[in-house]
Amino acid sequence: MGSEAFRTIKLTVAYDGTAYHGWQRQKDDRSLQGLIEDRLAVLTQEPVTVFASGRTDAGVHALGQICHFRTRSGISLEGLQHGLNALLPDDVRIRRAESAAADFHARYSAKTKCYLYQILNRPAPDVFLRRYVWHLAQPLDRRAMGEALLCLPGTHDFSAFQSAGSATRSPVRTLSRADLLEEPAGVLRFTFTANGFLRHMVRNLVGTLVAVGAGRLSPEDFRRILEGRDRRRAGIKAPAQGLFLLAVYY
């Protein structure tokens, strides 16, 4: 490979997660990490390991996933972006390739992340949105869900919204944003920004907020569930297809 020094390259990636078994490389299943590493190896002519800001689950999408890798290849950033996009399938795009400091790490250097969850709340489903929303025909009380969201900003123990099997040492996270917007045609958009997220945290939050919107829980019940830190009292885990990693901030 010669004596060229290693470069650290930061990639911003968008993907439709429908056809993938999540971000992390799998032995027998199609993954986004495996796909991007394999294509980079072809482009750079060397083995490449790609590190992401976090592992998205099977079926989860991204508009701004951040990952990085180190390479001795002298390929230009523009050539890298165009070359990768030429090798990748249409459901994965490299939105940006840029140089990063040698100590940059897509996961450990991240300060905050922003996730979006979309619900289609109307009687009829949408054939074109079905991969990107959770369709719920029962009318949901927007006001009640908005009221429930008010208790989330700040620093809390989010154990009630953490799925089992997490290796995270602390369930404490700081949310700076938790809001709900209604778009045309019955699309509800929940947006959450925090310094980190627990396993399935957003999906568990949304599942519990839907219980509030359906009248099975009150906004005060939602607050008590947060404070009680008991996952068994919270709602179901929302389906993967409505979740998007919007952005990662450094």
Side-chain angles (χ1 to χ4, degrees):
M1 281 189 284
S3 58
E4 296 87 351
F6 277 106
R7 297 187 293 157
T8 300
I9 307 296
K10 174 184 173 186
L11 301 176
T12 303
V13 189
Y15 49 82
D16 177 338
T18 304
Y20 300 91
H21 199 74
W23 170 267
Q24 188 177 13
R25 180 183 277 275
Q26 307 285 321
K27 182 179 179 181
D28 299 314
D29 293 304
R30 197 178 187 211
S31 72
L32 289 145
Q33 181 187 18
L35 173 69
I36 294 172
E37 286 180 347
D38 291 347
R39 299 303 188 270
L40 276 171
V42 171
L43 200 61
T44 63
Q45 293 296 292
E46 63 184 14
V48 174
T49 301
V50 175
F51 300 91
S53 67
R55 302 169 180 173
T56 51
D57 294 325
V60 175
H61 317 292
L63 295 179
Q65 172 70 284
I66 302 297
C67 57
H68 83 275
F69 67 97
R70 301 184 72 210
T71 180
R72 282 193 170 114
S73 171
I75 188 171
S76 69
L77 295 173
E78 182 179 9
L80 180 67
Q81 180 178 359
H82 292 327
L84 261 182
N85 282 332
L87 293 171
L88 289 167
D90 290 343
D91 54 4
V92 183
R93 291 292 90 181
I94 306 301
R95 298 179 59 190
R96 187 176 183 186
E98 55 192 309
S99 296
D103 62 352
F104 173 81
H105 195 287
R107 179 181 176 187
Y108 299 118
S109 301
K111 302 299 184 185
T112 57
K113 296 179 184 178
C114 182
Y115 280 93
L116 164 71
Y117 195 95
Q118 296 191 141
I119 291 175
L120 180 62
N121 189 214
R122 70 183 197 195
D126 187 310
V127 66
F128 299 108
L129 292 179
R130 71 191 187 282
R131 293 180 174 179
Y132 312 111
V133 297
W134 179 14
H135 173 242
L136 293 170
Q138 176 188 0
L140 299 175
D141 186 336
R142 279 73 157 160
R143 182 205 57 78
M145 292 188 294
E147 184 178 340
L149 283 168
L150 294 176
C151 71
L152 291 179
T155 302
H156 307 283
D157 182 326
F158 284 95
S159 293
F161 304 105
Q162 176 178 237
S163 290
S166 173
T168 305
R169 294 181 180 179
S170 172
V172 176
R173 296 292 184 271
T174 300
L175 260 70
S176 56
R177 179 184 181 187
D179 57 33
L180 168 61
L181 294 175
E182 183 172 4
E183 300 292 332
V187 176
L188 307 179
R189 294 166 57 93
F190 293 89
T191 305
F192 303 92
T193 301
N195 64 349
F197 290 87
L198 305 174
R199 185 166 189 249
H200 300 153
M201 178 173 156
V202 172
R203 293 166 65 186
N204 292 331
L205 281 168
V206 171
T208 311
L209 287 163
V210 164
V212 173
R216 296 190 297 273
L217 295 172
S218 70
E220 181 61 22
D221 291 332
F222 184 88
R223 184 189 62 79
R224 283 195 287 262
I225 289 169
L226 171 65
E227 294 174 350
R229 297 174 290 178
D230 186 350
R231 174 72 187 102
R232 294 170 297 179
R233 296 179 58 202
I236 65 169
K237 179 176 65 178
Q241 76 269 11
L243 184 60
F244 294 75
L245 174 57
L246 279 187
V248 185
Y249 302 100
Y250 295 88

